[in-house]
Amino acid sequence: MSVPSGAYQLGTAVLLDGAAVAEAYWLVSLGRRAVSLNGYTDRPGFEELQCILKRATEAHRQHQESRKRHDDVAQPPLRADSEQLIGTTEVADILGVGLRQVQRIARSLDGRRIGTRWVFDRDAVRAYHAAAIEHER
């Protein structure tokens, strides 16, 4: 008998991991639907089992998505020169825009979040501003 990868027997218990959880959820859901369509009474505990398997399946999917996103988060370190780092207020003054607009374009300005604050490299902001002015001409 073929067992899905991620299914393990531990004495009288069964441990499901990864894709095996999704397979078990699919089977329980299919079984409950068949019982309902054929006019039988659902067994006690099956609804709870289905809910538990659904939550585990969703958690597995979120974990897989999170692992994918971790590959693209590495960024070069910020320069230690604190005079080069400026906040959103100074960026807004340099660009002549509002604070919210600075937050919207922060990634285009190579902005970084430190805690809840955005910080920017002064030279990068000036280069962005010069390019914007040149583009308008």
Side-chain angles (χ1 to χ4, degrees):
M1 179 172 141
S2 176
V3 178
S5 176
Y8 310 95
Q9 181 179 354
L10 305 170
T12 60
V14 175
L15 174 66
L16 300 176
D17 186 32
V21 175
E23 294 294 323
Y25 171 67
W26 179 75
L27 286 171
V28 170
S29 298
L30 188 66
R32 289 193 70 223
R33 184 166 187 255
V35 164
S36 175
L37 290 173
N38 290 312
Y40 294 106
T41 304
D42 202 3
R43 288 189 167 188
F46 275 25
E47 182 178 7
E48 183 180 356
L49 176 61
Q50 183 181 21
C51 289
I52 291 168
L53 291 169
K54 181 179 182 179
R55 285 194 306 268
T57 299
E58 290 169 353
H60 175 69
R61 282 190 191 130
Q62 288 175 353
H63 176 71
Q64 292 300 98
E65 287 300 313
S66 175
R67 289 182 63 200
K68 288 179 191 173
R69 288 191 302 263
H70 285 282
D71 293 339
D72 63 355
V73 295
Q75 298 176 348
L78 293 170
R79 291 193 294 206
D81 183 3
S82 63
E83 291 181 13
Q84 276 300 111
L85 297 180
I86 58 176
T88 53
T89 304
E90 192 170 342
V91 173
D93 290 342
I94 292 170
L95 299 180
V97 297
L99 294 175
R100 184 65 187 120
Q101 182 62 18
V102 172
Q103 291 170 345
R104 286 187 191 106
I105 63 172
R107 299 248 186 253
S108 300
L109 299 168
D110 293 328
R112 306 277 178 83
R113 288 195 73 120
I114 297 179
T116 59
R117 297 182 53 217
W118 281 100
V119 293
F120 305 87
D121 181 283
R122 183 185 313 274
D123 292 337
V125 172
R126 287 182 178 151
Y128 179 91
H129 187 242
I133 290 172
E134 186 64 32
H135 182 358
E136 289 177 0
R137 290 181 184 174

